[in-house]
Amino acid sequence: MEKNIFVHNFNIKKEDRSVLNKHRPFLIWFTGLSGSGKSTIANAVEQALFNKGIHTYLLDGDNIRKGINSNLSFSAEDRTENIRRIAEIANLLIDAGLVVLASFVSPYIEDRENVKRIVGDANYIEVFVNTPIEECERRDVKGLYKKARKGEIQNFTGINAPYEVPLAPDIEIDTTKLNVESIVDIILKQLLGKIELL
Ligand SMILES: Nc1ncnc2c1ncn2[C@@H]1O[C@H](COP(=O)(O)OS(=O)(=O)O)[C@@H](OP(=O)(O)O)[C@H]1O
Ligand SMILES: Nc1ncnc2c1ncn2[C@@H]1O[C@H](COP(=O)(O)OP(=O)(O)O)[C@@H](O)[C@H]1O
């Protein structure tokens, strides 16, 4: 496809927004099974950052899939497109100067690698919320595991669709061993130095 597209060079740069915000932008990517704790942790981390005066935005599976990605299913191809679009949205939000928290099952290694490529290695940490599937299923926050076991949901991650475990996540959390408060501390410890203006 021929693309006659020219990127305009605007006056205000990402670096200018960082100076105004008093911190660098960033992406914290949470990956893990449904019910592992991604949204709960992302929410608590965002609250802690907000309390420190950091400008944030949280992108979450259910609300993105109700809006911009409402045309996408849970097939492997559509999950890839889901994650690609989210990475591009995150990239715009990073350009806008925000610390972005993204909470998506994102079961494929290649898709997560693509996120890192899009936003840049230096702007990204991956948090693997590694809660055993037995615990996610015991929680069954939305009743989806029950439905998947009954065969009412196709392609349910962990039951009849794959989850490719991160090989080298920046942070790995087992929510059966740590409470939310200590998980937030672990994440902030890694993050705060990275968003500091030098
Ligand atoms: N088949 C199937 N597999 C996994 N998850 C399913 C499925 N169908 C619906 N849901 C609900 O959708 C949420 C996951 O959406 P994501 O956009 O994060 O998925 S993905 O990254 O594209 O794999 C997921 O949200 P979380 O529970 O917050 O992870 C589920 O509520
Ligand atoms: N240490 C913990 N960290 C995060 N969630 C926990 C923890 N312990 C129990 N939970 C519970 O597990 C559930 C996780 O659900 P949710 O955050 O929606 O997961 P996900 O976004 O991965 O689907 C919530 O009901 C939460 O209260």
Side-chain angles (χ1 to χ4, degrees):
M1 198 198 331
E2 196 191 340
K3 292 183 184 166
N4 292 315
I5 292 171
F6 303 89
V7 176
H8 197 94
N9 204 9
F10 293 109
N11 286 359
I12 307 300
K13 305 278 184 292
K14 188 156 73 172
E15 293 70 27
D16 302 314
R17 297 191 186 94
S18 288
V19 172
L20 201 63
N21 287 343
K22 301 190 176 66
H23 62 78
R24 291 188 57 238
F26 208 79
L27 172 61
I28 316 169
W29 188 273
F30 295 87
T31 174
L33 295 170
S34 177
S36 57
K38 303 181 296 297
S39 306
T40 303
I41 297 166
N43 181 49
V45 172
E46 183 178 39
Q47 180 71 64
L49 292 172
F50 185 89
N51 294 348
K52 288 181 182 297
I54 292 162
H55 301 255
T56 59
Y57 196 77
L58 204 168
L59 299 168
D60 192 78
D62 285 320
N63 51 41
I64 289 287
R65 278 182 170 278
K66 277 194 185 127
I68 192 160
N69 287 353
S70 61
N71 63 323
L72 299 179
S73 74
F74 287 90
S75 68
E77 296 72 27
D78 278 9
R79 287 185 201 245
T80 295
E81 176 60 8
N82 182 42
I83 299 306
R84 187 195 67 79
R85 287 185 201 169
I86 292 156
E88 293 292 352
I89 294 168
N91 204 28
L92 291 175
L93 296 175
I94 286 174
D95 199 42
L98 302 177
V99 171
V100 183
L101 303 99
S103 163
F104 296 91
V105 173
S106 45
Y108 297 112
I109 289 175
E110 201 182 321
D111 293 348
R112 296 190 299 262
E113 284 301 311
N114 196 35
V115 175
K116 200 192 299 191
R117 250 193 315 273
I118 289 170
V119 304
D121 220 342
N123 300 314
Y124 174 92
I125 57 175
E126 185 174 282
V127 180
F128 175 26
V129 185
N130 184 10
T131 305
I133 190 160
E134 297 74 28
E135 173 63 11
C136 298
E137 191 163 3
R138 191 194 63 73
R139 292 175 185 168
D140 207 1
V141 183
K142 301 168 185 163
L144 296 177
Y145 283 92
K146 201 168 171 193
K147 281 191 186 167
R149 290 287 183 202
K150 283 200 280 182
E152 291 171 14
I153 306 179
Q154 310 306 317
N155 301 326
F156 194 75
T157 307
I159 306 286
N160 41 24
Y163 180 81
E164 295 176 359
V165 169
L167 302 176
D170 299 288
I171 300 175
E172 184 168 347
I173 303 286
D174 181 343
T175 63
T176 62
K177 301 206 168 78
L178 295 168
N179 63 25
V180 177
E181 208 176 42
S182 46
I183 297 168
V184 170
D185 285 346
I186 291 169
I187 295 172
L188 287 198
K189 219 179 214 167
Q190 279 232 17
L191 178 74
L192 291 177
K194 294 183 191 287
I195 64 171
E196 221 171 73
L197 277 186
L198 298 175

